[in-house]
Amino acid sequence: MGRILKTNYHTHTDFCDGKDSAEVMAQAAYEKGFDILGFSSHSMYPFASLWHIAPREHTAYVEEIHRIKEKYKAKMQIQCGFEVDYIPGICTPSMDAFSQFKPDYLIGSVHYIVTEKGNFGIDDTADNVRKGIADLFGNNAKDAVCTYFSLQREMLRKGDFAIWGHPDVVRKRNGSLQFFKEDENWYRAELAATAQEAKHAGVIAEINTGAIARRCMNDVYPSSLFLELLHDSGIPVTISSDAHRGDDIDCAFDRASLAAKKAGYREVMYIDEGLIKSQPL
C-alpha cells in the first residue's frame, strides 16, 4: 500500500461566501501537504443568494479553477466542483443541470427548510433559526427537524451527486437553542430512514469539520450516532473541512478520523481523476 493521500473536496472561495481567493486556498493546501484539493463553491444555478456564486460568475469560477489546476499540476491535483443546494422546484444537485460547466463532482446539500409558508436557512444565525421555527412551524421544532430530513431524503432520491454535504447540519444551532433532543426515538428514526435513502442513492457521506473551524459547534457532522447508523448501512465516507479560509483547510482532520474509526470505519473514499477510490484511515 502506498502513501496515504491527503484530500479535501469541500472548499469555498470568495466566488461565494469564502473569505479567501481560490489561489490562496490552493497555496494553503499545498503548504499543508495536500495531494488532492477539490473546490466546491456554493451554487443554486441559475439562481443565487448573497452567499452563492452569481449565475454570471459560474464560467469565471470554472476558468479560475482550471487555471489553478494547470499551475499546480506538478504539485497536487486540483478538481473543480460545486456545492449545490437542494431547493424543490428551484435547484437540484444533478450533473445534467451543471453539464455546461463540466464539474469533476458535485456536493449535494440541504441548507434551507422549505415550506408553503416560506423558508429559512437551518444553519443561519441562532436568531434566524429561532424565528424560522416560530414563524413557519409555530414553534414546533420536531416538525421543523422532520421537514429537514424529509428534504434530505428527497434530495437523495432525486439528485445525482457524489458527495453528501454535512448530513445533519440541523444540529449547528441546537447547542445554543436546544430546540430538540438528539437522543429521542423520533430523531433516531429520522436518521435511520435517511441513512437507508443514502444507501440507495450510492453517495459518499462527508465527515465535515466546518463547525469546529467556525466555532459554531465543537463536533463534526455527522454526529457519532448518525455515523454509526451510516456505517451500519454501508455508507462510505470522506473527510472534508468545508473551509472558507486557507487557515482552516485541514481543520480537525484528526478528530474526523477518530470519529470515523469510533463508528467502525476502516477506510475513507477519495476521488482521483474521476474515479472513486478507497484508502485506509
Side-chain angles (χ1 to χ4, degrees):
M1 181 69 190
R3 183 175 62 84
I4 302 301
L5 301 180
K6 189 172 184 179
T7 69
N8 182 63
Y9 298 96
H10 199 151
T11 311
H12 295 291
T13 72
D14 56 6
F15 275 97
C16 57
D17 63 344
K19 306 305 180 186
D20 289 331
S21 67
E23 181 80 52
V24 168
M25 299 299 279
Q27 182 62 27
Y30 174 67
E31 290 173 358
K32 294 190 177 189
F34 277 84
D35 299 282
I36 301 175
L37 178 67
F39 286 94
S40 58
S41 283
H42 289 289
S43 177
M44 55 179 180
Y45 188 81
F47 304 100
S49 75
L50 291 176
W51 52 276
H52 290 79
I53 311 173
R56 64 183 178 277
E57 292 294 324
H58 277 64
T59 298
Y61 164 75
V62 171
E63 289 175 350
E64 175 64 0
I65 303 308
H66 281 278
R67 182 190 71 79
I68 292 171
K69 179 177 182 178
E70 181 66 20
K71 179 177 178 178
Y72 281 84
K73 65 181 181 181
K75 300 176 179 179
M76 64 180 176
Q77 185 185 143
I78 298 290
Q79 297 186 20
C80 182
F82 297 91
E83 182 183 11
V84 184
D85 269 278
Y86 177 64
I87 303 174
I90 293 178
C91 188
T92 297
S94 163
M95 292 295 281
D96 282 347
F98 284 77
S99 61
Q100 64 183 295
F101 306 116
K102 298 180 173 59
D104 295 308
Y105 66 95
L106 298 179
I107 298 174
S109 296
V110 173
H111 293 98
Y112 293 100
I113 292 185
V114 182
T115 75
E116 293 180 353
K117 297 179 181 178
N119 65 80
F120 69 98
I122 193 57
D123 66 337
D124 204 337
T125 65
D127 284 345
N128 285 344
V129 170
R130 182 189 295 111
K131 187 175 186 300
I133 293 172
D135 292 350
L136 302 185
F137 293 93
N139 282 321
N140 188 327
K142 177 181 176 181
D143 279 359
V145 174
C146 289
T147 299
Y148 166 80
F149 282 109
S150 176
L151 288 165
Q152 288 275 23
R153 293 191 290 271
E154 194 172 295
M155 177 183 72
L156 289 163
R157 286 193 298 272
K158 295 182 177 181
D160 171 25
F161 54 94
I163 299 173
W164 179 22
H166 41 59
D168 57 357
V169 77
V170 70
R171 295 166 53 231
K172 182 175 180 178
R173 300 302 179 190
N174 198 37
S176 57
L177 296 180
Q178 309 239 322
F179 59 97
F180 70 97
K181 294 182 179 179
E182 297 180 31
D183 59 354
E184 292 189 348
N185 288 336
W186 68 266
Y187 183 71
R188 185 184 180 95
E190 289 293 329
L191 298 183
T194 307
Q196 284 302 303
E197 200 66 63
K199 180 178 181 178
H200 296 317
V203 294
I204 302 167
E206 70 168 11
I207 303 176
N208 181 308
T209 65
I212 298 172
R214 292 188 285 283
R215 296 177 175 82
C216 301
M217 184 178 69
N218 190 28
D219 197 8
V220 300
Y221 309 111
S223 66
S224 57
L225 169 60
F226 203 2
L227 263 179
E228 289 174 6
L229 291 170
L230 294 174
H231 172 265
D232 293 347
S233 298
I235 313 299
V237 293
T238 192
I239 293 172
S240 288
S241 62
D242 196 351
H244 288 64
R245 304 183 310 141
D247 289 347
D248 298 329
I249 200 77
D250 61 353
C251 175
F253 271 27
D254 54 343
R255 290 184 60 179
S257 295
L258 182 59
K261 290 175 181 177
K262 285 184 175 179
Y265 285 98
R266 296 295 175 262
E267 64 180 19
V268 291
M269 313 305 289
Y270 66 100
I271 303 171
D272 181 10
E273 302 290 357
L275 298 176
I276 295 175
K277 302 178 180 180
S278 65
Q279 61 180 353
L281 274 165

